[in-house]
Amino acid sequence: MARKLRKSDVDTVKTHLSSPWASFAAIIIATLWTIPTFGLFVTSLRPSTGINGSGWWTVFTNPEFTFTNYTRVLFEGRGATPPLSQYFLNTFAIVIPSTIIPITIAMFAAYAIAWFNFKGRNFLFFTIFALQVIPLQMSLIPLLQLFSGGLHIGTVTVIPSFGITGTFIPIWMAHTMFGLPLAIFLLHNFIAQLPRELIEAARVDGADHFKLFRQIILPLSVPAIASFAIFQFLWTWNDLLVALTFGGGKREIAPLMVRLAEMTGTRGGDWELLTAGAFVSILVPVAVFFALQRYFVRGLLAGSVKG
């Protein structure tokens, strides 16, 4: 039989984890993890002749830097291809609604499942949770057919054609559908752990469900909302598959990752432009993560512990 963990054992583990050796190991791991990103940044500032002639680490002995790469990749197009700044704006047009819409729907759904008593509530919640195991790739083609041609059984039209192919709408809808199961799961776990006494006191004071949701549930759920917002934002920002499938190949709505994939090509040319574009693409996700990181762990641990 396993021995019960004593407080002294926990203190011993904490002491080892906070020792100078543990801090040293963490610094080494963080440094090794950062080196590729630093190399990417240095390469994006080097001219093409330097990139083709030597490795990025030679800048310590022979420094040569230029901002021309960023100017070219952001503001200069090539033929019928618009500059990267246009794809940058397209990405924001995709990411912002694709993050806000599932959070809005999931907040109402999570509140209802957590605090409304209705038949089949637990079955509904576990069904939503089970949807997370469905591979995204399996639903791409059926959704594309639904958006472009509707749903027909024989000669009967069940769902008419939406007529939204080639717009941002199918991309928003796809990201919302794929993100809702995780959003409802995280938000439900957080909302269900809110003090019942607080909810009952608000009801005694005459608060209806909408007022209770707006003035109590929503402000207290900010950590969970921010936690999912990080996941959803990073996923949609770095997405290539969904954008390629539902974008219809139109450059007017293509996101940043589609253009970066085109720049990579089959031969890997123009490394100075590719590295500059890649470094630009990671700036916004990093900024969003650091802006919301204080809520991240609190939102992920929602519902895992009590007391």
Side-chain angles (χ1 to χ4, degrees):
M1 183 179 295
R3 181 172 62 89
K4 184 178 181 180
L5 193 64
R6 296 174 298 181
K7 185 178 185 298
S8 59
D9 298 329
V10 176
D11 294 338
T12 302
V13 173
K14 289 182 178 179
T15 301
H16 286 298
L17 291 178
S18 60
S19 66
W21 287 108
S23 301
F24 178 75
I27 293 174
I28 294 297
I29 294 174
T31 302
L32 294 176
W33 193 272
T34 309
I35 286 176
T37 304
F38 179 73
L40 177 71
F41 175 65
V42 171
T43 304
S44 68
L45 293 173
R46 302 183 69 200
S48 59
T49 54
I51 295 175
N52 296 327
S54 60
W56 64 266
W57 50 87
T58 59
V59 298
F60 296 106
T61 57
N62 183 28
E64 48 179 351
F65 299 106
T66 177
F67 288 99
T68 305
N69 300 336
Y70 286 92
T71 303
R72 290 178 58 193
V73 77
L74 285 174
F75 305 110
E76 294 181 10
R78 179 177 297 180
T81 303
L84 197 68
S85 56
Q86 178 61 48
Y87 294 91
F88 204 79
L89 296 176
N90 291 347
T91 304
F92 274 109
I94 293 173
V95 168
I96 294 176
S98 298
T99 303
I100 295 177
I101 295 174
I103 288 177
T104 303
I105 299 175
M107 275 299 299
F108 287 107
Y111 173 65
I113 296 175
W115 292 102
F116 286 16
N117 291 319
F118 58 89
K119 188 175 181 179
R121 182 179 64 171
N122 292 332
F123 176 78
L124 177 62
F125 174 70
F126 287 118
T127 301
I128 294 174
F129 176 74
L131 291 175
Q132 297 183 64
V133 304
I134 299 178
L136 179 150
Q137 295 81 359
M138 291 182 59
S139 56
L140 290 178
I141 301 304
L143 279 179
L144 181 62
Q145 294 176 343
L146 177 64
F147 292 154
S148 61
L151 176 62
H152 307 276
I153 300 178
T155 58
V156 179
T157 300
V158 180
I159 301 177
S161 174
F162 294 127
I164 56 177
T165 305
T167 66
F168 288 115
I169 298 177
I171 304 179
W172 296 340
M173 295 177 65
H175 280 305
T176 299
M177 294 176 183
F178 298 141
L180 270 178
L182 177 61
I184 295 175
F185 175 73
L186 285 178
L187 294 175
H188 168 271
N189 286 352
F190 192 93
I191 293 174
Q193 294 300 318
L194 295 178
R196 181 171 296 274
E197 295 79 8
L198 181 63
I199 306 298
E200 295 297 335
R203 290 176 177 173
V204 171
D205 290 339
D208 56 11
H209 281 293
F210 181 75
K211 187 176 182 180
L212 181 64
F213 176 84
R214 180 170 54 89
Q215 296 186 358
I216 297 180
I217 301 297
L218 193 59
L220 293 178
S221 301
V222 169
I225 294 174
S227 179
F228 173 74
I230 292 176
F231 275 118
Q232 185 72 358
F233 188 95
L234 295 181
W235 173 47
T236 53
W237 184 275
N238 296 317
D239 169 69
L240 174 64
L241 182 59
V242 174
L244 281 176
T245 304
F246 298 98
K250 299 184 66 174
R251 298 184 183 275
E252 293 80 3
I253 62 173
L256 193 61
M257 292 303 155
V258 171
R259 178 56 186 148
L260 290 180
E262 293 176 350
M263 292 173 63
T264 304
T266 57
R267 300 178 181 273
D270 296 331
W271 282 102
E272 70 280 4
L273 301 182
L274 179 60
T275 53
F279 195 79
V280 167
S281 70
I282 69 175
L283 291 179
V284 174
V286 169
V288 170
F289 177 79
F290 281 110
L292 301 177
Q293 66 168 337
R294 58 181 179 146
Y295 301 114
F296 189 63
V297 177
R298 289 176 59 192
L300 285 183
L301 295 179
S304 60
V305 294
K306 292 184 178 181

